[in-house]
Amino acid sequence: MMASFYGHDVDLATMRRRFTPSFRGAPLSSLIKIADQVGLLPRAVKLPLEELPNLALPAILHWNMNHYVVIERVSGDKALIHDPAGRSEWLQMSEVSDHFTGVALELRPNEAFEKKTERTVLRWSQLWTRINGLGSSFLQVIVLSVVLQIYVLALPYYLQIGIDNALPALDHDLLAVLALGFGLFTAFNASASFLRSFVILAAGSALGFGIASNIARKLFRLPLDWFQKREVGDILSRFQSVTPIQKMLTEGVAGTLVDGLLALTTLAIMFFYSAKLAIIALTAFFLYFVVRLISFSFERRAQEGSIIAHGKEQTALIETIRGIQTFRLYNSETMRHAMWQTLLTDAVNANIRSSRIGIWQTTGNALLFGLENVVTIYLAIGFVMNGGFSVGMVFAYLAYKGQFLEKAGNLVDQGMAFLMLRLHLERLADIALEEDDRSFAPSSMAVTELKGRMELKSVSYRYSPTDPLVLQEIDFSVEAGEHVAITGPSGMGKSTLLKVMLGLLLPQSGEVAVDGLPLQQFGHKSFRDQIAAVLQDDNLFAGSIADNITLFAEQADLEAIADAARASAIHDEIMKMPMQYETLVGDMGSSLSGGQKQRVLLARALYRKPKMLFLDEGTSHMDAANEARVNHSIRSLGITRIVVAHRQETIAAADRVLYMDGEGLRPLAPPKEVISLQLGESLSTR
């Protein structure tokens, strides 16, 4: 907002790509660093509420202890606040006091600041690649629409002939011929309308499926940290922006072209009847266009606010459903419902703001076109009295005028809707224009035989450019067939280290090498085809136990499934279940115990017959007997194992132990001595 105010027109998607946000939040120091790189001179200040008018406005305010807003100006006891969550409004100073924490950030352009436009634009053609047959369907829709409009143009003339010719002469034969001719025309029109509806249905379904499939394919190929930095409701709301785009492209575009053609044709006919009456209708339409143009920016902001508010509400609802057991256990259903209800209120209010704009537009249109209709009828009847019009011509002109205003109004509405699609394109751009995970790069598709040796060379990682390093200059290697345990206090980056080794996270510096080759050169796909892992946040999915072990493979090896289950000490328990391997695990594995889930996840990993196995607390929910059986089974495989663990038994099974704390990663004592360390002796004593 601040950069755009000073002339650097940049959108949020571009900023996110340039400055990767942290999913842990952004302190004021992060904003200062980003502002400096954008070319803005930052100055953080702490001030009381009454000093806000003395800030160099616009400025950034710290809001609600967890948020930032922009204050544009202060007028009297009110301040204009722009909230990135989707609302801009004047607030009383008493309301500002309820939210403002007393910390503000002034920003002004420095000598390096450049006025420029830097926006990421998603092109229409990028949405429907690999979708065939749209051109012919679109042409069919236009041809059938033109046929329909010919009927619409002819119908008022039928009314004029009937009133001016058949009625005065009481000519029943002429009236019958007219009725028969236009009746056949109506049947032909109905057939064209029927065919057009089916063509639109087929084309719309194909286009909607194609766009959704393309966007989903892109979504599934995005880097892991992209998902970690966004709420699930926000991702879903962005994906659902496909629907209005698909509707506009199938129904709106063809309708807009035909409506535009029909509006011009009917306007020409109206001028043929009376230039004075046509100018009155044209003036009313122009005023309607001006009203829509003025209200568009308000309408766009209201719709964007509604989308964002509904995304937050959906996120809270999904999280509540997923975590209902926790809320039930702590008797927190009422509090959670109140929190969700607050978000629902925000969403409803956002809808009300959007609907309020529509009500104003509808009322204005009714008043505008109502007055136009009164003036037109007055003048038209005056023309009849003066002998310039027949009664039939009045009826025909009013019908043509109604068609013109309807079609021209539809043309404006579709144009505004088309402009509104920029909002949906901007939201989809966050998915469609993001770079794929590096494992999908051509150089990562190579097939290389894995021996099992891994080496990390000066690897560093941070969650975002403004966050402190989680991993700093990590160096260590694992030999083929070796069993290495990594232990240490929680929160020191052990899980992050494992994800870097797996290629799920990209280090800021350093290199991960496999069998002496950089991971990118070895090939991410090849590497992952030959390894397996059980991570802390792994999930089971709705389906059978066999489905989850094979991860829904189309051709499952039943014997290999059983072997993997035996190795993970879960086979006997599965065989006691009513449906054995076809037993359903429920939503996210809800029908299984924590230990059973973990052993099914381990069976999934072993089913792949990996040459390297990574475990992040992969046996933490198992009892000692089952863990011993699992460790024995894995040891017999003779593969490379890298384990993050805190449990004594898991550490004791390793060939070598590495200790990770705030000082980095370093070798530790033999496993039996590590056990006593885990039991409470200090590192310095050992």
Side-chain angles (χ1 to χ4, degrees):
M1 289 181 179
M2 297 294 293
S4 296
F5 175 81
Y6 288 114
H8 181 179
D9 186 17
V10 60
D11 61 353
L12 184 59
T14 301
M15 291 289 284
R16 276 179 171 163
R17 289 180 182 85
R18 184 175 172 188
F19 307 103
T20 307
S22 169
F23 52 84
R24 298 187 171 189
L28 194 65
S29 58
S30 296
L31 266 66
I32 291 174
K33 292 177 182 177
I34 293 172
D36 180 66
Q37 294 181 57
V38 171
L40 295 171
L41 186 65
R43 175 176 175 261
V45 295
K46 188 171 179 62
L47 72 165
L49 181 70
E50 56 270 15
E51 294 294 329
L52 279 181
N54 297 328
L55 279 174
L57 299 178
I60 294 175
L61 302 184
H62 191 223
W63 204 252
N64 289 338
M65 299 299 296
N66 61 2
H67 189 45
Y68 300 100
V69 299
V70 171
I71 177 171
E72 181 178 339
R73 60 181 180 270
V74 177
S75 178
D77 63 343
K78 290 185 177 181
L80 179 57
I81 302 295
H82 301 289
D83 192 332
R87 291 190 65 183
S88 298
E89 57 183 339
W90 285 93
L91 296 179
Q92 296 284 344
M93 281 300 183
S94 58
E95 296 178 83
V96 175
S97 179
D98 294 336
H99 304 282
F100 178 47
T101 65
V103 177
L105 182 65
E106 293 181 334
L107 297 173
R108 291 183 176 180
N110 60 26
E111 65 280 358
F113 184 82
E114 295 181 34
K115 292 186 177 182
K116 58 184 178 180
T117 298
E118 191 178 6
R119 287 184 169 269
T120 304
V121 179
L122 177 63
R123 298 189 305 273
W124 294 103
S125 58
Q126 293 174 268
L127 293 176
W128 57 69
T129 54
R130 297 183 296 275
I131 304 177
N132 298 321
L134 289 180
S136 59
S137 298
F138 184 71
L139 183 61
Q140 291 174 27
V141 170
I142 291 181
V143 170
L144 292 171
S145 298
V146 169
V147 171
L148 295 177
Q149 302 313 322
I150 293 174
Y151 173 79
V152 172
L153 288 173
L155 195 58
Y157 193 64
Y158 166 54
L159 184 62
Q160 179 182 340
I161 295 175
I163 292 175
D164 287 346
N165 297 339
L167 183 60
L170 300 178
D171 191 339
H172 293 281
D173 293 336
L174 175 60
L175 187 61
V177 170
L178 289 172
L180 179 61
F182 277 93
L184 293 173
F185 199 0
T186 301
F188 181 69
N189 177 74
S191 301
S193 177
F194 177 80
L195 293 174
R196 178 178 180 269
S197 298
F198 269 94
V199 172
I200 289 177
L201 177 63
S205 299
L207 183 64
F209 177 83
I211 293 177
S213 179
N214 288 341
I215 295 296
R217 179 179 182 272
K218 181 67 177 181
L219 179 66
F220 296 162
R221 294 162 69 94
L222 294 180
L224 179 65
D225 59 356
W226 186 92
F227 295 93
Q228 294 175 337
K229 295 169 183 175
R230 288 160 178 81
E231 296 175 341
V232 61
D234 179 59
I235 296 174
L236 288 175
S237 71
R238 290 179 187 278
F239 188 78
Q240 288 163 358
S241 288
V242 167
T243 302
I245 292 174
Q246 172 258 326
K247 185 176 181 181
M248 169 59 77
L249 292 177
T250 51
E251 301 177 24
V253 174
T256 299
L257 293 175
V258 175
D259 283 342
L261 180 62
L262 184 64
L264 290 175
T265 306
T266 51
L267 183 62
I269 295 174
M270 289 163 58
F271 270 98
F272 175 76
Y273 275 81
S274 170
K276 181 182 290 188
L277 294 179
I279 289 173
I280 293 173
L282 198 59
T283 302
F285 165 71
F286 177 75
L287 293 175
Y288 169 73
F289 174 72
V290 171
V291 170
R292 286 304 311 271
L293 205 59
I294 293 173
S295 63
F296 174 74
S297 59
F298 300 100
E299 189 177 354
R300 187 187 190 282
R301 282 200 298 268
Q303 187 166 339
E304 184 176 17
S306 177
I307 292 172
I308 293 173
H310 278 283
K312 291 181 179 296
E313 179 267 327
Q314 287 293 301
T315 295
L317 184 61
I318 293 169
E319 288 180 344
T320 302
I321 294 172
R322 290 287 185 208
I324 191 65
Q325 176 178 289
T326 302
F327 296 118
R328 182 64 45 78
L329 178 63
Y330 289 96
N331 291 328
S332 296
E333 301 95 332
T334 303
M335 293 297 296
R336 186 67 178 183
H337 177 261
M339 187 274 286
W340 170 80
Q341 203 168 30
T342 300
L343 295 174
L344 180 63
T345 301
D346 292 339
V348 171
N349 287 337
N351 283 343
I352 290 174
R353 284 190 292 273
S354 181
S355 300
R356 190 179 295 148
I357 295 172
I359 291 172
W360 278 106
Q361 288 178 348
T362 303
T363 304
N365 296 343
L367 178 62
L368 177 64
F369 291 123
L371 291 174
E372 180 274 334
N373 206 35
V374 170
V375 174
T376 298
I377 293 174
Y378 173 80
L379 292 176
I381 293 178
F383 291 164
V384 174
M385 292 178 177
N386 295 331
F389 258 34
S390 67
V391 176
M393 290 176 67
V394 172
F395 281 100
Y397 175 82
L398 291 177
Y400 282 124
K401 185 208 66 162
Q403 290 175 13
F404 166 72
L405 292 178
E406 178 189 355
K407 300 306 180 183
N410 288 343
L411 185 63
V412 172
D413 292 341
Q414 292 292 347
M416 295 299 157
F418 194 81
L419 292 176
M420 191 68 72
L421 288 186
R422 289 186 59 186
L423 169 62
H424 297 288
L425 284 174
E426 288 172 6
R427 294 183 62 78
L428 278 179
D430 195 36
I431 298 174
L433 299 183
E434 186 71 29
E435 291 186 6
D436 289 349
D437 185 87
R438 56 182 176 158
S439 62
F440 294 97
S443 59
S444 293
M445 301 297 190
V447 178
T448 311
E449 187 70 22
L450 178 65
K451 297 182 177 64
R453 187 179 188 279
M454 174 168 280
E455 183 178 6
L456 271 65
K457 304 174 183 177
S458 302
V459 168
S460 298
Y461 179 82
R462 52 164 50 102
Y463 295 115
S464 80
T466 57
D467 278 345
L469 288 169
V470 180
L471 306 176
Q472 187 168 2
E473 299 292 325
I474 299 294
D475 289 283
F476 82 98
S477 62
V478 179
E479 299 301 325
E482 188 178 12
H483 182 184
V484 175
I486 302 174
T487 188
S490 297
M492 292 294 105
K494 298 185 297 297
S495 297
T496 301
L497 174 63
L498 210 63
K499 289 179 180 178
V500 170
M501 296 168 70
L502 289 166
L504 296 175
L505 297 177
L506 177 65
Q508 264 68 45
S509 62
E511 180 180 271
V512 178
V514 178
D515 292 343
L517 294 174
L519 184 54
Q520 186 77 12
Q521 184 178 343
F522 185 91
H524 284 81
K525 290 291 185 183
S526 178
F527 177 63
R528 290 177 191 162
D529 281 340
Q530 301 177 73
I531 66 165
V534 178
L535 305 180
Q536 289 187 33
D537 50 1
D538 277 352
N539 292 312
L540 297 179
F541 305 101
S544 68
I545 292 176
D547 288 335
N548 275 277
I549 291 177
T550 64
L551 208 56
F552 300 88
E554 293 184 1
Q555 296 181 342
D557 186 336
L558 299 180
E559 186 176 346
I561 293 174
D563 290 342
R566 290 189 187 95
S568 60
I570 189 68
H571 173 75
D572 293 340
E573 295 176 39
I574 294 174
M575 296 305 292
K576 293 177 183 178
M577 297 178 183
M579 297 176 65
Q580 298 179 356
Y581 281 95
E582 294 304 316
T583 300
L584 301 179
V585 303
D587 182 47
M588 307 295 284
S590 58
S591 68
L592 303 179
S593 69
Q596 287 175 328
K597 288 181 192 176
Q598 202 162 56
R599 281 177 283 160
V600 171
L601 289 171
L602 185 59
R604 176 193 293 172
L606 297 178
Y607 176 79
R608 296 169 60 88
K609 295 181 172 58
K611 296 178 180 177
M612 292 183 72
L613 181 64
F614 297 80
L615 301 177
D616 188 0
E617 296 290 342
T619 58
S620 59
H621 295 300
M622 299 182 196
D623 58 87
N626 277 325
E627 183 177 13
R629 292 170 60 191
V630 167
N631 286 336
H632 176 74
S633 298
I634 296 175
R635 190 182 305 114
S636 66
L637 298 176
I639 61 176
T640 305
R641 287 151 288 159
I642 302 174
V643 179
V644 170
H646 292 103
R647 292 183 61 168
Q648 306 159 19
E649 296 86 347
T650 307
I651 297 171
D655 301 327
R656 182 160 56 101
V657 180
L658 300 172
Y659 190 83
M660 189 171 188
D661 59 10
E663 299 178 7
L665 185 68
R666 58 186 182 277
L668 205 59
K672 62 180 182 179
E673 297 188 27
V674 174
I675 293 175
S676 62
L677 173 64
Q678 294 289 320
L679 288 174
E681 293 185 23
S682 70
L683 181 61
S684 58
T685 301
R686 293 309 306 167

